[in-house]
Amino acid sequence: MNKEDQNTEKNPIEEILRMDRMPHIWCPGCGIGTVVTSFAEALRKEKYDLDKIAIVSGIGCTGRVAGYTKLDSFHTTHGRAIPFATGLKLAKPDTKVVVFSGDGDISGIGGNHLIHAARRNMDLVVICVNNFNYAMTGGQVAATTPKDANASTAPYGNFENAFNLPYITEAAGATYVARWTALHLRRVTKSIQEALNKRGFSFIEVITPCVTLYARRNRLGDGLNLLKYYYDMSEIQHGADTRTLDISYQGKLIVGKFVDKEKPTFLDAMNKHLSSVLGDKYQLYGDNND
Amino acid sequence: MKKSKADPKGVLTGSHFMDGDYALAEGGLAAGCRYFGGYPITPSTETAERFSERIPYVGGVFIQMEDELGSIASLIGAVWGGKKAMTVTSGPGFSLMMENIGLACMMETPLVIANVQRGGPSTGLPTLTGQQDMMQARWGSHGDYEIIALSPDSPQECFDLTIEAFNLSETYRVPVFVMTDECIGHMHEKVVIPPAEEIELVERKWYKGPKNKYLPYKNDTDGIPFMVKVGDGYRFHTTGLTRDERGYPLLNAECQATCVSHLIDKIKDNADKIIHLKETDIDNAEILVMSYGITSRVSIKAVQEAKKTGIKVGTMQLKTVWPFPEKRIKELAGKVKAIVFPEINAGQVVLEAERVVGDKCKVVSVPHYGGWVHNPEDILNAIKEAAK
Ligand SMILES: Cc1ncc(C[n+]2csc(CCOP(=O)(O)OP(=O)(O)O)c2C)c(N)n1
Ligand code: SF4
Ligand SMILES: [Mg+2]
């Protein structure tokens, strides 16, 4: 077998993985790897220049993704992936910046940054793995835990309301919003492809089983079962009114692409506005400002 | 260390009448800072305002973030995107930045944070002065690390030391603090900004070797690793976790020792090169008045009065507070009778002086709880008492 053939035999995902860091820390049956596969597949399909994309994670099981991807990659602090990515994007506008992190990281401790980045239409792709709990720390209740689900800090069941993330992000100003389950591999891939090609704030929520904690505590079976369950319980409704997308415990999951619109990004708006106000004196800001 | 001249675009050459807050912004712009992320807080806000006004003409970005957690996180991102970056804040905002200051230290990210100090704790005295964040600047984030902190005594020094802060941050890949205070922040004075070609800047230590050989945390011969930015094809990784040369997490005691001792030693071992002091009348002094920032200005009056009574007083202004000038103070401790140390806090940096001199001489703290500067009389009395 010549060298080229060997290369084509490699799993395409290896191209973007730090194989020198394998094996990864995720539990067998965890859904996070599935979402990473979709991400890798999106990059492959787009023939994306892997030198021109950076990935930023916060902290959590999902937060480990940045550490396993062979891209310019940053494992930051809990909740701060989005503002870190904001600085990175503004400093280097020709780089595509992807935030890949967990529900707790992005919508709990980092919730303020989420809405503000959406409001500014910051040109970022945010992939949020929603496993309905704080997994890394042992399965505590999160802002996304459905009512009545059990969590290690809600041992009698959760009585708080859960966030409906597509609704929040749309209301805050995101220009692309989708939700899938991890088993919608092709759909997730397609959404990531669309988001990569979009200028603006894109938010993709992926419902993903946490087998070890959320599933076990709630007696929901193993990873594959739960992955399949989420898939079966889902109903595709593109363009659904995001107000209707609340998630109930083991209930129906409305998935699809809900928002896909055009709006000037932060930098587009800044350049346009300052040029019109200051005229020629304004130093247009962009890719050449190295 | 590669040096270059300032880009004239950012340098407002000339003689100006401006306050310390504005001078911080001008210093940053002259040093090549092209990213400012901040959040308004008295008495530092004018620096952010100045940046927002000036940056469109210079070719950079100003963003008012949603909070100080976001400001500092965005700065670290901007630096890895290739920019020089700074922010400004005061007590409460400084507290919010602490976790990510640790991240900047761990990732060895050069950046500059100015703190226009006000009285604390908590909301304290929003519009009135203090020097109460000095210990927080040193070790306010969790874990062991070392940073550099400078303290200007005038708007002119706000300008000069901000440039020095950028140069030090690039040299040692460390966050550098410009610890000023409300008095200087709001004090209008003459600030002379030299022509760009007279401003010497330290360039980032860019890696130029083969792409597949880059190790983000492999120390160069000077003990400081090379840096790259995103988008240049290195496809590198960095993390806040304890990491090896590759920037990969390695969570054991051995790697922790290597990683943390490096963060500390790169500052400690270079202390002589970093530290910047201004001394007067040291040679025959029996009393040494040590101070920094606005308190150095206030001390002048007390020192003059003390000299009139025949006491031989020398002064030492700490333009660099951290790392602490241990070596020099040890030397002087054997020569003077006492060190008198006024600060606008309950006695923070003076503890370091006490530790360093041991029983070689007396150390007299002259505390002030903030809200205003010392009455020079209080410093004078301390000098007289110490000279007895
Ligand atoms: C400031 C701070 N607070 C708390 C933690 C502890 N912590 C680590 S991961 C995590 C939760 C992560 O949850 P999520 O983002 O949903 O990721 P998952 O592990 O579920 O993928 C918490 C609370 C931390 N690292 N930093
Ligand atoms: S704890 Fe849950 S989320 Fe974390 S790796 Fe295991 S299965 Fe995945
Ligand atoms: Mg989670």
Side-chain angles (χ1 to χ4, degrees), chain A:
Chain A
M1 214 189 289
N2 68 31
K3 218 169 166 207
E4 214 141 70
D5 290 336
Q6 276 174 8
N7 277 345
T8 51
E9 276 208 352
K10 255 201 329 202
N11 184 341
I13 193 178
E14 289 183 13
E15 178 66 17
I16 79 137
L17 286 190
R18 294 188 189 277
M19 296 311 289
D20 53 350
R21 287 211 58 211
M22 296 298 131
H24 57 66
I25 62 157
W26 296 312
C27 309
C30 173
I32 297 172
T34 319
V35 189
V36 177
T37 306
S38 294
F39 175 59
E41 188 59 11
L43 292 175
R44 190 187 65 80
K45 283 193 165 162
E46 287 298 311
K47 297 194 175 57
Y48 215 90
D49 181 350
L50 300 180
D51 290 352
K52 297 291 172 209
I53 179 166
I55 181 166
V56 183
S57 291
I59 300 291
C61 292
T62 317
R64 291 303 185 100
V65 169
Y68 296 128
T69 45
K70 199 159 173 256
L71 303 169
D72 290 338
S73 55
F74 300 90
H75 183 214
T76 65
T77 44
H78 195 24
R80 314 303 156 209
I82 288 179
F84 188 106
T86 295
L88 196 61
K89 179 71 197 178
L90 294 181
K92 198 80 175 64
D94 61 348
T95 298
K96 195 83 202 170
V97 182
V98 176
V99 171
F100 205 130
S101 217
D103 51 320
D105 192 74
I106 286 175
S107 77
I109 192 168
N112 197 28
H113 307 305
L114 173 68
I115 56 173
H116 285 278
R119 173 180 65 79
R120 297 183 180 110
N121 198 25
M122 195 55 67
D123 188 11
L124 301 174
V125 178
V126 177
I127 301 169
C128 177
V129 168
N130 184 358
N131 54 16
F132 302 133
N133 74 150
Y134 285 158
M136 178 62 108
T137 38
Q140 292 79 25
V141 72
T144 44
T145 309
K147 250 189 197 162
D148 298 328
N150 199 289
S152 72
T153 47
Y156 311 111
N158 177 31
F159 52 84
E160 287 190 34
N161 303 311
F163 267 154
N164 165 352
L165 295 176
Y167 180 34
I168 292 174
T169 47
E170 181 185 19
T175 46
Y176 185 97
V177 179
R179 172 197 280 164
W180 300 107
T181 78
L183 200 58
H184 288 95
L185 272 164
R186 273 188 7 256
R187 308 270 189 178
V188 177
T189 302
K190 178 144 182 276
S191 267
I192 297 174
Q193 284 176 272
E194 286 176 353
L196 286 171
N197 288 319
K198 192 146 183 97
R199 282 169 70 81
F201 189 83
S202 302
F203 182 82
I204 302 167
E205 176 185 18
V206 189
I207 310 292
T208 307
C210 164
V211 270
T212 309
L213 301 160
Y214 185 79
R216 187 173 295 164
R217 181 169 271 277
N218 287 286
R219 303 183 209 290
L220 302 175
D222 66 17
L224 214 61
N225 277 335
L226 193 55
L227 204 60
K228 180 95 179 27
Y229 181 83
Y230 288 155
Y231 186 83
D232 291 342
M233 289 303 285
S234 64
E235 186 181 309
I236 299 177
Q237 281 186 28
H238 291 302
D241 182 339
T242 54
R243 285 174 300 183
T244 66
L245 301 180
D246 277 332
I247 293 175
S248 62
Y249 180 59
Q250 295 299 88
K252 196 165 75 177
L253 288 166
I254 308 294
V255 297
K257 177 168 84 176
F258 311 120
V259 179
D260 190 354
K261 61 184 180 199
E262 301 300 325
K263 218 167 59 176
T265 65
F266 176 91
L267 279 182
D268 292 343
M270 179 180 98
N271 274 328
K272 182 156 178 260
H273 180 77
L274 292 176
S275 305
S276 82
V277 176
L278 304 176
D280 293 344
K281 282 180 289 180
Y282 177 58
Q283 295 261 323
L284 212 61
Y285 184 81
D287 301 343
N288 302 323
N289 280 91
D290 264 351

Side-chain angles (χ1 to χ4, degrees), chain B residues 319-388:
Chain B
K319 292 183 197 247
T320 315
V321 178
W322 310 123
F324 192 66
E326 302 197 3
K327 216 167 92 187
R328 182 62 181 148
I329 290 168
K330 265 195 195 124
E331 261 168 40
L332 294 175
K335 296 180 184 159
V336 301
K337 197 159 152 189
I339 292 174
V340 171
F341 204 150
E343 315 171 70
I344 310 176
N345 56 47
Q348 294 191 6
V349 184
V350 69
L351 297 175
E352 276 299 87
E354 283 175 11
R355 179 183 67 79
V356 167
V357 307
D359 52 12
K360 279 197 187 157
C361 76
K362 248 192 314 191
V363 177
V364 181
S365 170
V366 190
H368 188 302
Y369 294 100
W372 193 225
V373 296
H374 289 78
N375 182 343
E377 196 115 330
D378 295 336
I379 303 172
L380 176 64
N381 289 339
I383 296 172
K384 283 183 180 165
E385 188 63 29
K388 270 187 196 159

